[in-house]
Amino acid sequence: MDKLVIEGGIPLSGSIPIGGAKNAALPILISTLTCGGTHHFRNVPQLVDIESTLSLLGRIGCPSRVEATGDFGLGVELDTSRIAFSEAPYNLVRKMRASVLVLGPLLARCGQATVALPGGCAIGVRPIDQHLMGLEALGCVFKLENGNIEGRVKHLKGAEINLSVPTVTGTENILMAAVLADGVSVIHNAAREPEIVDLVRFLRSMGARIKGEGTSTLEIDGVPALRPAREAFSILGDRIEAGTYLLAALITGGNITITGAPVADMSSLLQHLRQVGAEIETGDDWIRLTSPEKGVPVSIETAPHPGFPTDMQAQWMAAMSLLSGSCIISEKVFENRFMHVAELGRMGANIRIQGPSAHVSGVDSLTGATVMATDLRASASLILAGLAAKGQTEVLRIYHLDRGYEKLVKKIKMLGGAIARVSTHSTLPVGSLRQELGN
């Protein structure tokens, strides 16, 4: 197993590209199950979750071909002409909860599907009851047997579906089935995330009829069949990756430019960065951040899009921990997403949890320490803290990072950061990374 070693205190500067959004790529790749044929994609991020998705699709009977397209990103060719097995077993689902997204497309294409229950995860329980409720409204019947959801449908029919919460994956699962239903379906209280908008763009390129993306009401006029898109589809830029690097610049007092960013989808984060005091310049797909001489902490409350993203909460907390003053960070999406607090505390952060809120009092400096990542975004927050801390930080259990940040070490080095990925049992002399950077 590997760990990250970071020597902090270097302001990040320079320019880096932002990759394709994992949370857009996963449902888009899976949605090809609705349509037999060959599909082509560009700007697919090189991540473990992408590998897991392609492995799952391969097991179902849909082989893929992957090629690197420069230093970052992948081109993917996916052949869904034949579906051999309409099943997603537990050994694959347990690696990636998004595997449950095969349920809707398989039911639409094959009339049956068996998917292992995904269970909980490190940041809280994420039930799929809304998925099943919506699919049942379309005519599907389910039973639970041996830890699997077994679904069948004779004929998908359009329906009015009212979600009790705007679940992202629930909206996606129902949407991917409804595009092949007979008649019109309407999803009320649908999730509005940009990644769903990107999924709609792709489904529409295959001939689906969908209105209302980006709003809380999706209207789907089902079609008898879809066809592969005529051109390679380019995946949306990753707003969470983009935000993470902006905060890496802020916490180190740096100035960076990111390209390939979905600027229009990042308004909440950019607004809060301006409130901190950062100077933000933007173009159609680029953002430049100049850190303030003395920023002020800003409170946030996570919410579904277009609110402040829950996937940016941990990184925001790390950045606020070094600003003079105090703020409150309220987590309103997941019930167990403060596990990074204890690890930030090991580095000297002053954070107190009270119910769904964390009270952050800024400190003059953080100190390098050995810390352990608990999930993907917690990993990112500890890296940000390490980049700003005095001395050397070691981040353990970094396999989480490989799920959501493409070549993170390389990108941080491009910005001048002192960071290395080494074996867990390796040791590096303090100052060695800085020395290497200066050579």
Side-chain angles (χ1 to χ4, degrees):
M1 294 181 66
D2 291 345
K3 65 182 177 182
L4 292 182
V5 181
I6 305 166
E7 291 176 10
I10 302 172
L12 300 187
S13 64
S15 176
I16 55 169
I18 296 304
K22 178 195 77 163
N23 290 338
L26 298 183
I28 286 172
L29 291 173
I30 290 171
S31 73
T32 60
L33 292 172
T34 61
C35 173
T38 303
H39 308 265
H40 296 89
F41 301 94
R42 293 183 286 112
N43 201 37
V44 178
Q46 191 171 347
L47 302 169
V48 169
D49 275 10
I50 297 297
E51 293 176 10
S52 298
T53 298
L54 294 178
S55 175
L56 172 59
L57 292 172
R59 189 191 185 285
I60 288 172
C62 305
S64 58
R65 187 169 64 87
V66 177
E67 62 179 2
T69 54
D71 291 338
F72 305 99
L74 300 170
V76 174
E77 179 183 279
L78 188 55
D79 183 1
T80 58
S81 301
R82 174 177 172 270
I83 292 181
F85 303 100
S86 54
E87 179 182 359
Y90 181 69
N91 67 317
L92 292 174
V93 173
R94 68 180 177 83
K95 297 178 182 179
M96 187 186 63
R97 286 184 54 87
S99 301
V100 75
L101 288 173
V102 303
L103 189 60
L106 285 177
L107 284 166
R109 175 96 176 266
C110 306
Q112 61 183 21
T114 300
V115 179
L117 279 169
C121 69
I123 58 172
V125 176
R126 295 195 267 184
I128 62 167
D129 59 311
Q130 296 298 290
H131 302 230
L132 303 183
M133 178 276 294
L135 293 170
E136 284 175 338
L138 296 174
C140 302
V141 177
F142 296 99
K143 67 177 181 177
L144 176 62
E145 192 167 287
N146 301 321
N148 296 319
I149 303 163
E150 297 183 5
R152 293 186 178 275
V153 63
K154 289 184 178 179
H155 186 66
L156 287 170
K157 293 186 177 181
E160 295 263 343
I161 299 163
N162 294 284
L163 298 176
S164 61
V165 293
T167 161
V168 173
T169 52
T171 299
E172 292 166 342
N173 230 339
I174 298 163
L175 172 64
M176 289 186 285
V179 293
L180 291 176
D182 182 15
V184 175
S185 299
V186 181
I187 306 174
H188 299 284
N189 199 26
R192 301 165 60 184
E193 270 66 10
E195 295 77 18
I196 292 177
V197 176
D198 214 33
L199 173 61
V200 169
R201 285 179 53 234
F202 177 65
L203 290 170
R204 193 178 283 143
S205 76
M206 294 195 297
R209 299 172 183 169
I210 307 167
K211 298 178 184 177
E213 68 272 20
T215 76
S216 59
T217 303
L218 285 173
E219 182 177 315
I220 307 103
D221 186 1
V223 296
L226 301 174
R227 47 154 180 76
R230 293 185 176 88
E231 298 180 355
F233 186 85
S234 184
I235 302 296
L236 172 77
D238 194 323
R239 61 195 171 105
I240 305 304
E241 184 193 15
T244 298
Y245 286 113
L246 292 176
L247 286 174
L250 177 69
I251 198 172
T252 61
N255 309 292
I256 71 167
T257 299
I258 56 175
T259 58
V263 179
D265 300 322
M266 297 176 62
S267 57
S268 178
L269 175 64
L270 297 181
Q271 175 188 349
H272 283 84
L273 283 169
R274 290 186 174 104
Q275 291 174 5
V276 168
E279 180 181 333
I280 303 290
E281 301 173 73
T282 63
D284 290 340
D285 67 346
W286 61 267
I287 303 170
R288 182 177 297 119
L289 180 143
T290 303
S291 295
E293 288 188 15
K294 188 176 181 180
V296 296
V298 174
S299 298
I300 60 104
E301 180 177 298
T302 65
H305 191 77
F308 194 94
T310 181
D311 280 351
M312 287 302 307
Q313 176 257 107
Q315 302 93 305
W316 188 263
M317 186 181 296
M320 295 303 102
S321 69
L322 277 172
L323 297 180
S324 179
S326 60
C327 67
I328 299 174
I329 295 176
S330 298
E331 177 55 62
K332 296 298 182 71
V333 178
F334 291 115
E335 74 278 8
N336 190 27
R337 208 166 195 181
F338 284 149
M339 288 186 289
H340 49 281
V341 170
E343 300 302 295
L344 289 172
R346 286 174 50 77
M347 302 178 71
N350 184 358
I351 306 169
R352 177 175 54 87
I353 298 176
Q354 186 174 2
S357 298
H359 297 252
V360 183
S361 298
V363 295
D364 292 335
S365 63
L366 298 175
T367 304
T370 298
V371 291
M372 186 175 294
T374 53
D375 62 69
L376 173 56
R377 307 308 173 184
S379 304
S381 75
L382 299 178
I383 292 169
L384 266 57
L387 289 168
K390 294 179 179 179
Q392 191 176 92
T393 297
E394 293 188 349
V395 184
L396 308 181
R397 295 179 65 181
I398 61 169
Y399 52 83
H400 297 289
L401 283 170
D402 297 330
R403 296 184 49 239
Y405 290 95
E406 181 181 23
K407 298 184 180 179
L408 177 140
V409 169
K410 181 172 184 174
K411 290 186 179 181
I412 290 177
K413 284 184 173 181
M414 288 171 64
L415 297 172
I419 185 170
R421 181 170 182 152
V422 300
S423 167
T424 302
H425 304 293
S426 298
T427 58
L428 293 177
V430 174
S432 62
L433 292 177
R434 281 177 173 269
Q435 184 177 1
E436 178 185 325
L437 197 64
N439 289 335

